[in-house]
Amino acid sequence: MLGISLMIGFCVVAPLGDAIAKVLGDTIPLTELVTVRFAAQAALLLPIIWATGRTLAMTPRVMRLTVIRTVLHILGIGGMFMALRYLPLADAVAIAFVLPFIMLLLGRVFLDETVGPRRLSACVVGFAGTLLVIQPSFAEVGWPALLPLFVALVFALYILVSRTIAKECDPLSLQAVSGLVATPILFAAMLAGWASGAEMFAIRAPTTQETFLLAAIGVIGTLAHLLMTWSLRFAPSATLAPIQYLEIPFATLFGWLIFGDFPDGLALVGILITVAAGLYIVFRERAAAEPVPPET
């Protein structure tokens, strides 16, 4: 129950952070927004690492993979923040939930995992549902409606890399190192882009209210990841995976309360199809992982 409660906390906190990013998206340049997100992650986690006696030391192999993982994390967060500038909150989150289908296909291609016809059919249905969500947004804003698909692909690769090193380093230390690696990369990109005059790389002094909201994004983003990490310590992933779909209704609620957005009929049908297909895959994965009882 503690693990389930922590995952529900993640489903509330994560879309709230996205909602704040959407609020700031109209005034704060994208790279500045992402830089603050990762700098706050490092600043918040380093004292916890030192206070608990953890170490930041990594083997060369794990460090290389952590850098790759961090770059993927930057691209994923940046892609989502950019998508939120154009799309309603619920639509962006729902489209990004094509992630389980991508993970299933990547596992088949790169890890030679067995994927039966039922799960492949669920992937097709899930993609169809996602297209229903994309269609009205694409008609309205064009190519930015495809950004959550890019986010889902990047985070699928991010998860594959995370799985590779999960047993070799502490989760808190891994996130702290990611923050330390991401911050100078983003600062360098921001300075280089600022010299070029590109709007997304601009540097702008935030107002007092924006400063508080920027700090909130860093705190909420870090807290969301910790809630997910801690939830996996107290409950198996097969139990928690269906609960993560609660993020969509919470995103819909925040989108309605803060922005007055609510999915139209076609998008709502697409969201329901995507969720149903994703839950089917989750339960099929869990059934496939259960041991077969011996014959009596």
Side-chain angles (χ1 to χ4, degrees):
M1 288 305 298
L2 178 57
I4 290 171
S5 299
L6 290 169
M7 180 56 78
I8 292 173
F10 166 81
C11 292
V12 176
V13 170
L16 179 59
D18 289 337
I20 296 174
K22 184 173 177 63
V23 170
L24 290 172
D26 292 334
T27 56
I28 301 298
L30 177 64
T31 310
E32 184 175 342
L33 198 57
V34 180
T35 301
V36 171
R37 159 68 178 80
F38 281 95
Q41 176 175 305
L44 288 168
L45 291 181
L46 283 176
I48 298 176
I49 299 299
W50 293 326
T52 56
R54 289 175 166 86
T55 178
L56 298 178
M58 294 180 172
T59 65
R61 171 185 169 276
V62 171
M63 189 64 205
R64 286 193 298 271
L65 290 173
T66 298
V67 172
I68 294 172
R69 177 181 180 273
T70 300
V71 172
L72 291 170
H73 200 183
I74 291 170
L75 292 174
I77 294 290
M80 192 62 175
F81 284 0
M82 182 178 289
L84 290 169
R85 296 185 175 207
Y86 300 96
L87 302 177
L89 180 61
D91 289 9
V93 171
I95 295 169
F97 262 87
V98 76
L99 173 64
F101 315 135
I102 295 177
M103 283 297 303
L104 198 69
L105 297 177
L106 289 179
R108 176 67 183 88
V109 173
F110 293 106
L111 302 179
D112 200 27
E113 295 176 349
T114 301
V115 181
R118 293 181 182 179
R119 279 177 283 179
L120 283 176
S121 298
C123 282
V124 173
V125 172
F127 275 120
T130 303
L131 290 176
L132 291 179
V133 184
I134 291 174
Q135 193 276 330
S137 297
F138 189 83
E140 183 174 349
V141 302
W143 69 266
L146 302 178
L147 281 170
L149 293 178
F150 168 76
V151 172
L153 175 60
V154 168
F155 272 114
L157 297 172
Y158 168 88
I159 291 171
L160 287 178
V161 176
S162 298
R163 283 181 178 177
T164 304
I165 59 178
K167 296 181 180 180
E168 300 180 54
C169 55
D170 177 78
L172 286 178
S173 299
L174 178 61
Q175 286 304 107
V177 171
S178 292
L180 290 172
V181 171
T183 302
I185 291 175
L186 286 164
F187 266 119
M190 189 164 55
L191 291 174
W194 175 68
S196 71
E199 188 275 333
M200 67 180 293
F201 295 104
I203 301 174
R204 178 184 173 278
T207 64
T208 302
Q209 181 181 5
E210 289 169 344
T211 300
F212 282 114
L213 291 176
L214 283 168
I217 281 183
V219 173
I220 288 173
T222 304
L223 176 61
H225 181 86
L226 292 178
L227 286 171
M228 176 179 283
T229 302
W230 288 333
S231 72
L232 291 167
R233 295 183 61 184
F234 298 104
S237 58
T239 300
L240 297 175
I243 296 169
Q244 193 171 351
Y245 277 88
L246 287 174
E247 189 177 345
I248 295 178
F250 279 115
T252 303
L253 177 62
F254 290 137
W256 176 62
L257 291 175
I258 298 173
F259 308 104
D261 293 332
F262 195 82
D264 63 17
L266 189 62
L268 193 59
V269 170
I271 289 173
L272 293 175
I273 292 174
T274 301
V275 171
L279 290 176
Y280 178 82
I281 287 176
V282 167
F283 289 122
R284 285 295 303 173
E285 292 286 342
R286 182 161 62 182
E290 291 177 353
V292 178
E295 295 183 2
T296 57

